[in-house]
Amino acid sequence: MSSRVSRHRGADTTTLVVHVENKAGVLARVAGLFARRGFNIESLAVAPTDDERFSRLTIVVGVSSAPMEQVVKQLDKLVNVVEIQELNPASSIERELMMATVRAEPEIRGQILDLVRIFQATVLNVGQDEIMVSLTGSLNRVDDFEDLLRPYGIVDVQRTGKVALPKLSKTTPDPLISN
Amino acid sequence: MKMNGGQALMKALENEGVDILFGLPGGAILPVYDPLLDSSIRHVLVRHEQGAGHMAEGYAHATGQPGVAMVTSGPAATNIVTPLCDAYMDSIPMVVVTGQVPYAAIGTDAFQECDTTGITMAVTKHNYLVSEAADIPQVIHDAFHIATTGRPGPVLVDIPKDIVDPNNPRSALDWYTPQGHDLPGYNPNLSGDPEQIRQAAKLICAAERPVLYTGGGILKARAAEALRELAELTGIFVVTTLMNRGGFPDEHPLCLGMPGMHGNYTAVTAMQEADLLIALGARFDDRVTGKVDGFAPQAKVIHVDIDSAELGKVRRPDVAIQGDCRLVIEDLLQVLRADGGVDTQPDRSQWRTRISGWQERFPLTYKQSKPDELLKMQYVLEQLRDSTPDDTIVASGVGQHQMWTSQYWKFNHPYTWVNSGGLGTMGFAIPAAIGAKAGRPDRMVWAVDGDGCFQMTAQELVTATTEGFPIKVALMNNAYLGMVRQWQEMFYEERYSEVYLDRDVPDYKKWAEALGCVGIRVESPEEVQPAIDKANEVDDRPVVVEFRCEAEENVFPMVPSGKTNSEVVVDPSQQDRPR
Ligand SMILES: Cc1ncc(C[n+]2csc(CCOP(=O)(O)OP(=O)(O)O)c2C)c(N)n1
Ligand SMILES: [Mg+2]
């Protein structure tokens, strides 16, 4: 299976930030639209905004499946969709959170902790032969970390999917942990 | 004012101007059928919920007002999915109210529960599952707003029983009259961008072989008058798609008629040879374009549509204008007049000559039946066309009879053609004709139906009889699922698979009489006219005239599917003529 390779690097995707009314069934409407129009969702992150009437979806869309213009216009037709932004990676800050449980017999645990230190990741839980770590970072960085952990044996991994915000107009220096 | 949810629903519908409801009651919607007795709204009791949906569509087609249907939960809701999809494809304003099991029972597989909003999400413009009685007035107000504005479409409102049941405290509410809409994601934009409209005017004034490609958006926007002005000002020929028959008069010298798979040769070829297509409320449907890659290869495209997602969906326009067809055409007329632009249009006499040449060489044609043959549907339709009032409303089913009706009828008024275009729903004609008659009781309404189609929804003739809608049905009995038979003849080496219906079963005349109609059977050409005259005289009940038609007749012209419009197959008698 191709899941051995990092999924995100180089993938032909576009990120849409979609503000929707916080109504029952709205996620089904968005997902159903993607399914029936043959658009591909690579990842999807949903959470309420600070205004409880609205939620914010960050959708990573495979661009090979359809012209982005069609995706945006069809989404816009959903009555509960309030606003759609297409995020350009150069002008936005993107993050993803990964949690992973990795094989870590006592002899090799030190090597994993080295990686944790280098990536400024976090140890969440330690067991007899396993260790649970987490990392928040750019997609590339999370990919790198996952790739380096893989040879040790990933038991479980969960990534949140990308979330993103546009860069501010007077750009502050990128945070320390950046691309 | 204190009331219960059922009363509020009726009051809300009355406030939206609803005067007629098509429906059939059942358990979950029962509490709403009680206040119906006290309402000013007329209810038409259908025999199948699909009928209620198509009646609401027919009503909307004929009047421009939203059609409304009300049915119960579960199987009734699934029965109305087809009309919802039909209305969605053809942008028909419609509101459907469905009953639902009590709110607390949702998700428990309760009796007659089905996930109606889930099932209909893909076939409605929007839908609602109402959770509180207090939401009913606002939701109904929003539903009509969404159904009728922007690109019109069906909206479904699913109402759990407990919020309308007077015996349940959850049904109590204080009536309020909704003030406006809180729909932050819904702001249909109506007027076109002035700069794009100026660009469009430029292209029009420079074009040597322009064609106005006009679709259902003309009728939806009530833009027929504006279209006529535009055509006459510029002298540009008009094709009217299946969805815009009547949107421009067939007898107008600039009208080329219907394009597409079974369009007439001139309409198909003029589009194919055009250097400019002015698409107004049309969506480049595959039945119009043929193979898209080879469609109108030399044409620049101006595309006007209320739905911006249509702009560039199939064919990338050179000028894209999002807006209401009527408003955009009116603005365009102003620009064309102001700049004196129309006077700078090139000489198009050569183009006109080519077009009239096609019209002369490739008119619609058929051979009248020989003495031992049954009727030709084309002949029946010509007779029917010529012996009915000019503003007769014609509804049709789906198949050969539909294509011939669209070809042979002369539509000279908007809203006289009631048809299932996008979904191609067999069984549409009879209920849609009833809905049209309900909306326009002053008009003569004929349904032209196939024998296959008739058998799908004939039971609604009972509704027509008992509710007093004296529609007339021209039942074209060719003993076949004729359109499918034609494809098997042409593309499957005459291997006929499951397309023969039966010439004599059912006995349509007896069946019509059993349904409360006058039944007439016609087998020979000389009986056609008297039968039509007799049918036209009946005004106290529906009439079914069974025309026994030749089975082997094929619809031409035809663009075989997958072929380009340049490969249009003409009637065998015209095949040797120079194109
Ligand atoms: C509900 C439905 N089922 C199947 C079809 C496919 N179909 C298209 S035309 C046609 C034949 C229609 O037969 P009939 O009503 O007798 O009309 P005719 O073509 O013979 O005039 C069929 C089966 C359809 N359009 N709709
Ligand atoms: Mg037939």
Side-chain angles (χ1 to χ4, degrees):
Chain A
M1 265 173 44
S2 59
S3 62
R4 294 287 104 202
V5 194
S6 310
R7 286 147 296 172
H8 304 279
R9 209 189 319 259
D12 220 355
T13 60
T14 297
T15 305
L16 297 179
V17 173
V18 183
H19 285 259
V20 297
E21 284 186 275
N22 212 347
K23 296 251 160 96
V26 63
L27 195 56
R29 287 182 204 279
V30 171
L33 175 79
F34 273 78
R36 73 176 174 270
R37 297 257 175 206
F39 308 151
N40 281 339
I41 299 182
E42 299 281 332
S43 79
L44 171 65
V46 195
T49 63
D50 56 339
D51 181 340
E52 64 181 19
R53 291 176 306 153
F54 302 106
S55 285
R56 188 184 160 103
L57 277 56
T58 308
I59 312 176
V60 179
V61 188
V63 291
S64 56
S65 62
M68 195 47 51
E69 182 191 328
Q70 259 301 300
V71 178
V72 170
K73 284 173 161 182
Q74 294 293 354
L75 262 180
D76 195 39
K77 278 164 68 170
L78 294 179
V79 169
N80 296 138
V81 168
V82 180
E83 199 194 327
I84 306 165
Q85 281 170 284
E86 202 173 325
L87 278 193
N88 169 355
S91 53
S92 57
I93 309 264
E94 306 176 343
R95 285 295 175 270
E96 186 169 5
L97 165 68
M98 176 183 80
M99 294 168 67
T101 297
V102 186
R103 300 282 313 161
E105 282 81 11
E107 322 80 82
I108 56 161
R109 190 179 290 159
Q111 296 177 24
I112 291 173
L113 290 176
D114 276 347
L115 286 174
V116 166
R117 203 162 37 248
I118 293 163
F119 277 84
Q120 295 181 303
T122 309
V123 173
L124 299 177
N125 202 351
V126 181
Q128 197 67 49
D129 308 322
E130 293 172 347
I131 187 165
M132 190 195 297
V133 296
S134 82
L135 174 69
T136 302
S138 70
L139 273 64
N140 275 340
R141 199 177 158 78
V142 174
D143 277 351
D144 287 346
F145 189 51
E146 191 182 337
D147 284 348
L148 289 166
L149 289 177
R150 189 169 296 116
Y152 297 98
I154 294 176
V155 180
D156 244 339
V157 63
Q158 172 69 59
R159 295 173 64 153
T160 56
K162 185 205 288 190
V163 293
L165 285 175
K167 279 187 188 166
L168 307 179
S169 54
K170 266 189 249 147
T171 311
T172 51
D174 272 6
L176 210 59
I177 310 167
S178 91
N179 308 318
Chain B
M1 199 194 330
K2 298 236 179 278
M3 60 174 70
N4 67 58
Q7 293 166 321
L9 177 61
M10 290 322 296
K11 190 172 164 66
L13 292 174
E14 285 166 8
N15 283 359
E16 298 300 326
V18 176
D19 53 11
I20 191 161
L21 254 178
F22 305 95
L24 193 149
I29 198 76
L30 258 173
V32 182
Y33 270 79
D34 186 68
L36 176 69
L37 289 171
D38 307 319
S39 167
S40 63
I41 299 177
R42 174 175 181 192
H43 183 272
V44 172
L45 178 61
V46 300
R47 270 33 179 193
H48 186 295
E49 290 86 355
Q50 182 186 358
H54 292 321
M55 284 178 209
E57 289 188 84
Y59 177 91
H61 265 285
T63 64
Q65 301 301 308
V68 189
M70 183 162 81
V71 301
T72 191
S73 66
T78 55
N79 275 349
I80 210 160
V81 170
T82 300
L84 284 168
C85 190
D86 194 272
Y88 186 63
M89 294 288 275
D90 286 348
S91 309
I92 310 297
M94 170 158 91
V95 173
V96 171
V97 177
T98 45
Q100 183 54 279
V101 301
Y103 199 70
I106 291 177
T108 66
D109 304 317
F111 178 63
Q112 291 191 333
E113 179 185 358
C114 94
D115 177 9
T116 303
T117 47
I119 286 175
T120 58
M121 214 169 255
V123 296
T124 51
K125 185 171 173 186
H126 194 55
N127 63 18
Y128 291 94
L129 171 59
V130 187
S131 57
E132 311 289 334
D135 293 341
I136 290 173
Q138 185 68 51
V139 166
I140 293 294
H141 191 47
D142 291 348
F144 278 80
H145 176 61
I146 292 169
T148 54
T149 53
R151 179 177 183 167
V155 177
L156 179 136
V157 182
D158 200 23
I159 307 235
K161 185 172 187 176
D162 52 328
I163 67 165
V164 286
D165 177 4
N167 299 320
N168 191 310
R170 281 206 358 107
S171 81
L173 77 151
D174 260 328
W175 171 264
Y176 58 94
T177 304
Q179 306 298 321
H181 307 277
D182 179 19
L183 298 167
Y186 183 73
N187 311 293
N189 172 43
L190 297 183
S191 57
D193 175 49
E195 181 45 38
Q196 295 301 311
I197 290 174
R198 270 193 297 279
Q199 290 300 327
K202 262 196 208 154
L203 285 186
I204 289 172
C205 293
E208 292 178 352
R209 303 184 307 282
V211 171
L212 284 157
Y213 157 33
T214 67
I218 292 288
L219 291 173
K220 300 299 167 350
R222 312 205 87 74
E225 270 309 305
L227 169 63
R228 190 176 175 139
E229 265 187 72
L230 178 63
E232 288 177 354
L233 178 71
T234 56
I236 298 177
F237 288 104
V238 179
V239 302
T240 51
T241 68
L242 185 68
M243 294 312 296
N244 192 34
R245 305 290 288 130
F248 188 75
D250 270 328
E251 278 167 359
H252 195 288
L254 289 171
C255 193
L256 303 182
M258 180 174 74
M261 181 175 269
H262 291 297
N264 72 72
Y265 183 85
T266 305
V268 172
T269 308
M271 285 178 91
Q272 196 65 354
E273 298 293 315
D275 69 346
L276 177 66
L277 289 179
I278 306 148
L280 302 172
R283 60 181 176 85
F284 295 81
D285 181 77
D286 54 82
R287 286 298 190 262
V288 167
T289 61
K291 188 163 177 260
V292 178
D293 299 343
F295 173 62
Q298 305 145 48
K300 290 202 161 124
V301 171
I302 298 167
H303 194 174
V304 181
D305 206 287
I306 187 81
D307 179 357
S308 76
E310 291 301 341
L311 306 174
K313 185 182 82 177
V314 176
R315 169 90 171 231
R316 183 134 301 273
D318 298 273
V319 176
I321 304 174
Q322 196 245 315
D324 173 88
C325 272
R326 186 172 60 77
L327 299 180
V328 172
I329 295 173
E330 283 169 0
D331 287 352
L332 186 59
L333 281 166
Q334 262 195 350
V335 175
L336 284 167
R337 286 199 181 105
D339 302 354
V342 260
D343 309 326
T344 69
Q345 292 190 105
D347 173 28
R348 296 183 184 133
S349 51
Q350 249 191 325
W351 177 233
R352 282 195 293 274
T353 309
R354 284 177 77 189
I355 285 186
S356 55
W358 294 326
Q359 285 173 322
E360 276 158 32
R361 289 196 297 282
F362 300 102
L364 290 172
T365 184
Y366 69 94
K367 285 203 191 64
Q368 177 59 299
S369 40
K370 302 191 192 83
D372 56 334
E373 285 179 343
L374 288 167
L375 300 165
K376 293 291 174 76
M377 255 188 240
Q378 300 97 313
Y379 172 74
V380 174
L381 285 161
E382 283 180 333
Q383 300 306 303
L384 193 58
R385 172 195 71 199
D386 294 340
S387 21
T388 43
D390 202 37
D391 62 357
T392 298
I393 294 174
V394 188
S396 104
V398 171
Q400 293 184 311
H401 63 282
Q402 169 196 32
M403 290 297 117
W404 278 319
T405 310
S406 179
Q407 287 182 346
Y408 281 85
W409 206 264
K410 287 275 175 268
F411 294 99
N412 285 318
H413 301 277
Y415 316 109
T416 52
W417 173 233
V418 179
N419 177 250
S420 166
L423 195 63
T425 308
M426 286 175 69
F428 178 81
I430 288 173
I434 294 170
K437 185 72 182 169
R440 298 304 307 257
D442 54 317
R443 296 284 188 83
M444 184 179 282
V445 178
W446 273 90
V448 178
D449 216 4
D451 44 348
C453 290
F454 185 87
Q455 294 187 57
M456 290 198 179
T457 49
Q459 79 285 342
E460 296 311 331
L461 284 170
V462 178
T463 309
T465 301
T466 54
E467 299 269 354
F469 297 116
I471 63 159
K472 304 170 201 311
V473 182
L475 165 55
M476 304 296 195
N477 177 5
N478 58 2
Y480 274 93
L481 299 168
M483 186 56 92
V484 184
R485 196 208 67 84
Q486 173 170 348
W487 283 55
Q488 291 179 350
E489 179 187 329
M490 294 175 70
F491 312 119
Y492 291 85
E493 298 159 353
E494 301 180 39
R495 284 162 54 83
Y496 297 115
S497 174
E498 303 300 322
V499 286
Y500 180 64
L501 292 171
D502 198 296
R503 179 64 77 182
D504 302 303
V505 184
D507 181 327
Y508 292 106
K509 185 169 182 301
K510 279 195 194 150
W511 192 7
E513 287 163 1
L515 298 167
C517 310
V518 174
I520 304 173
R521 175 169 297 145
V522 177
E523 277 169 310
S524 66
E526 50 304 342
E527 295 171 338
V528 170
Q529 188 63 53
I532 293 170
D533 292 342
K534 187 172 162 199
N536 283 344
E537 275 159 27
V538 179
D539 210 32
D540 62 342
R541 73 189 89 173
V543 186
V544 177
V545 189
E546 178 200 358
F547 294 100
R548 301 201 135 207
C549 298
E550 270 302 305
E552 313 252 288
E553 191 72 7
N554 288 335
V555 185
F556 290 108
M558 177 173 196
V559 180
S561 91
K563 294 277 162 67
T564 73
N565 284 353
S566 304
E567 297 161 276
V568 54
V569 180
V570 295
D571 187 87
S573 70
Q574 300 173 336
Q575 264 158 18
D576 299 330
R577 299 186 187 172
R579 298 225 163 174

